[in-house]
Amino acid sequence: MKETAADSVKSNCPELTMDNFINGMKRRNPGETEFHQAVEEAMTYLIPYVQLHPKYQKAQILERLTEPDRIVIFRVCWQDDLGSFRTNRGYRVQFNNSIGPYKGGLRFHPTVNLSILKFLGFEQIFKNSLTTLPMGAGKGGSNFNPKGKSDDEVMRFCQAFMTELSKHIGENVDVPAGDIGVGAREISYMFGQYKRLINEFTGTLTGKGLEFGGSKIRKEATGFGCIYFMQEMLKHRTDGLEGKRCIVSGSGNVAQYAALKLIQLGAKVIAISDSSGFVHDPEGLDEEKLNFIIELKTVKRGRISEFANHYQLKFYENQKPWKIACDLAFPCATQNELDEADAKELIKNGCTGIAEGANMPTTLGAIKEFQNAKLLFSPGKASNAGGVGVSGLEMTQNSIRLSWSSEELEQRLKEIMTNIHQQCIQYGSEKDYVDYVKGANIAGFVKVADAMLAYGVL
Ligand code: GLU
């Protein structure tokens, strides 16, 4: 739609500048540092864009976009194996449902708080929009720590958590999934409890087991998608993955399948980590070693040092992997795991590309370093969107009561990632550089913002 003079802004609201906006947002959300960081990253690009497109400013779209639709906070009381009463806090941030039901994972980790869930929910708005599937944005979780708990304790916690959460979700309302600390085991316990409470078998929750409505390729999707995205970025520079030395941080679901796809495509995974340190394997992991890690992390729930010991590889306790010389880096562990000093080290050692597999693993200072050095850098909202993308496909399969083959799903996942890359090129191309952060933020924004404009004042 062409903008006219009537669209230009005359209002009682403060002038839209980066300082005014960020100061106001910080004042309204005191102490929520992760949320501030996520909003600041997006606003670096959205404010200049909105200044050029006053229709969004007139409708206060940026102010509305940074205010969640609603937040539910609740007590979760459960009993441990000794019969002691335990209390945790549960959350669901329903951020924006302009283009579909709220959609996003649940995180169980002792660090979970409102700031972290709001940053994650905010990121989800753009990410879900980029997939082109009809999904709004939400995020939730608890400060419950599954580490060191028995299966029975995890089950009792998940059932107690879902007893309250079930009142706020539904296949057309809000569809949660996994995230850190929430994998197949937790989703199964929660889905079972949801089904029992609602007395209905509907696809609410994605990442389900294949026996009860789950989708093939969902488990692999985030990691595979991240590597497909890197492949697209390299292709755009007439380069490829073959022979590249790669660092993958983390060893959870995202890292495992990012590493697998790298190996399958002929790259070399020379380091992998967990929160206790990293393992250096100069030869590169093969599928046998990777299977050992997958078994260690998903069945035995052990530490990565056990992998290092088993294969007599060097383990660097309490250190981050970024100081190892590499061609490509994939931060797949957690937020803010790669800071400015790490970025400088990676650049100095010859790294040329970084694709985020986790959500916001790179600090704002580190992103600046990568961009100033003109490296390939993709933000998680673009390169980790494959996970929620296949969740969207799980919802579709549940609605039509069919399940697609792995080949079909992998093909669709590839198309989703290629399409996101294309959107980034469209909105992020500069003279001699593609700013993927700019591209992902603006492309993700436009669809949601146009829907919000169409709805009028709400
Ligand atoms: N937690 C994942 C993410 O950060 C997946 C969410 C989903 O599948 O709904 O995107």
Side-chain angles (χ1 to χ4, degrees):
M1 203 183 5
K2 200 165 172 325
E3 287 170 45
T4 64
D7 288 321
S8 70
V9 184
K10 270 196 213 77
S11 84
N12 297 323
C13 302
E15 190 197 345
L16 180 66
T17 64
M18 188 71 181
D19 278 354
N20 280 349
F21 189 90
I22 296 297
N23 290 339
M25 181 274 299
K26 286 186 174 169
R27 200 176 52 243
R28 289 189 297 277
N29 304 281
E32 296 181 352
T33 51
E34 293 84 2
F35 181 58
H36 299 168
Q37 183 183 338
V39 172
E40 207 165 322
E41 179 216 284
M43 291 308 151
T44 308
Y45 301 100
L46 296 182
I47 288 178
Y49 186 78
V50 167
Q51 282 165 341
L52 293 174
H53 300 84
K55 61 180 178 181
Y56 297 123
Q57 191 180 347
K58 195 173 165 196
Q60 295 276 290
I61 294 292
L62 295 179
E63 286 76 1
R64 288 158 62 187
L65 202 66
T66 44
E67 203 59 61
D69 288 355
R70 93 184 45 75
I71 299 175
V72 189
I73 303 183
F74 50 94
R75 181 184 63 239
V76 185
C77 189
W78 56 284
Q79 274 182 301
D80 66 19
D81 287 344
L82 294 174
S84 309
F85 282 61
R86 306 289 287 265
T87 306
N88 288 96
R89 190 173 295 170
Y91 305 83
R92 187 72 181 165
V93 178
Q94 296 184 327
F95 221 112
N96 191 302
N97 69 353
S98 299
I99 60 168
Y102 303 109
K103 180 83 196 89
L106 297 168
R107 177 176 291 193
F108 291 169
H109 194 270
T111 57
V112 161
N113 58 33
L114 201 48
S115 169
I116 289 182
L117 296 178
K118 280 171 68 179
F119 115 64
L120 290 164
F122 181 71
E123 294 278 299
Q124 211 81 39
I125 301 176
F126 303 85
K127 187 194 315 198
N128 295 5
S129 162
L130 285 168
T131 66
T132 72
L133 301 174
M135 296 184 289
K139 204 87 187 191
S142 172
N143 60 349
F144 172 74
N145 187 1
K147 241 185 224 151
K149 303 285 192 303
S150 70
D151 281 353
D152 284 350
E153 288 176 324
V154 170
M155 180 184 75
R156 287 194 292 272
F157 174 80
C158 288
Q159 292 180 340
F161 180 83
M162 184 49 83
T163 301
E164 177 59 31
L165 187 69
S166 63
K167 299 170 192 164
H168 310 285
I169 62 175
E171 60 175 339
N172 295 315
V173 179
D174 184 350
V175 184
D179 196 81
I180 293 173
V182 178
R185 174 181 62 169
E186 291 75 15
I187 292 289
S188 304
Y189 289 145
M190 286 192 275
F191 183 73
Q193 179 75 346
Y194 180 78
K195 183 173 71 61
R196 170 159 78 173
L197 290 166
I198 304 295
N199 192 27
E200 197 181 87
F201 194 104
T202 48
T204 310
L205 290 182
T206 60
K208 298 185 291 297
L210 296 180
E211 309 77 12
F212 47 93
S215 174
K216 300 202 178 87
I217 302 293
R218 174 63 192 88
K219 152 163 86 56
E220 294 85 352
T222 316
F224 278 16
C226 180
I227 305 310
Y228 290 141
F229 196 87
M230 175 57 89
Q231 212 177 16
E232 287 299 313
M233 292 201 291
L234 290 167
K235 204 156 90 190
H236 197 69
R237 283 193 174 179
T238 58
D239 198 354
L241 279 168
E242 186 89 22
K244 294 277 191 306
R245 296 161 306 156
C246 304
I247 296 178
V248 177
S249 68
S251 46
N253 171 262
V254 182
Q256 290 164 12
Y257 292 97
L260 178 60
K261 190 46 77 184
L262 284 170
I263 298 169
Q264 288 175 351
L265 294 175
K268 239 167 121 173
V269 180
I270 57 167
I272 195 147
S273 69
D274 71 8
S275 57
S276 65
F278 79 90
V279 183
H280 183 202
D281 183 357
E283 295 300 309
L285 301 180
D286 55 20
E287 288 199 29
E288 185 209 303
K289 286 179 187 160
L290 190 62
N291 285 335
F292 183 97
I293 296 175
I294 295 178
E295 165 95 3
L296 176 71
K297 286 290 168 183
T298 52
V299 183
K300 298 193 190 118
R301 299 178 192 277
R303 310 303 297 173
I304 201 75
S305 54
E306 295 167 43
F307 162 68
N309 291 341
H310 187 85
Y311 286 97
Q312 295 177 344
L313 296 167
K314 193 156 166 50
F315 175 62
Y316 294 77
E317 196 174 354
N318 289 330
Q319 293 182 50
K320 298 193 275 185
W322 312 123
K323 61 182 174 194
I324 301 289
C326 69
D327 302 305
L328 303 172
F330 299 90
C332 296
T334 194
Q335 68 269 359
N336 292 330
E337 55 164 315
L338 198 166
D339 63 19
E340 211 171 308
D342 300 323
K344 286 187 174 140
E345 187 80 8
L346 281 166
I347 297 167
K348 190 183 89 203
N349 291 332
C351 176
T352 55
I354 303 92
E356 291 188 335
N359 290 310
M360 206 172 75
T362 313
T363 64
L364 291 174
I367 296 177
K368 271 273 140 311
E369 290 293 328
F370 291 140
Q371 291 181 329
N372 289 342
K374 298 242 163 32
L375 301 197
L376 294 174
F377 174 81
S378 67
K381 57 183 68 136
S383 45
N384 78 24
V388 75
V390 175
S391 275
L393 301 178
E394 182 172 333
M395 291 164 74
T396 308
Q397 293 170 84
N398 291 163
S399 316
I400 60 173
R401 298 188 192 281
L402 281 177
S403 55
W404 295 329
S405 68
S406 299
E407 293 72 33
E408 164 134 29
L409 284 154
E410 200 164 341
Q411 188 48 37
R412 285 178 187 263
L413 169 63
K414 262 189 213 159
E415 281 163 19
I416 289 174
M417 301 316 294
T418 309
N419 186 288
I420 296 175
H421 184 264
Q422 205 39 50
Q423 295 178 66
C424 291
I425 300 284
Q426 186 187 338
Y427 286 96
S429 290
E430 320 251 285
K431 241 191 356 277
D432 57 344
Y433 183 63
V434 180
D435 184 339
Y436 286 91
V437 187
K438 177 180 179 187
N441 277 299
I442 299 180
F445 168 78
V446 169
K447 183 172 161 194
V448 179
D450 286 346
M452 290 170 77
L453 273 188
Y455 296 141
V457 183
L458 50 84

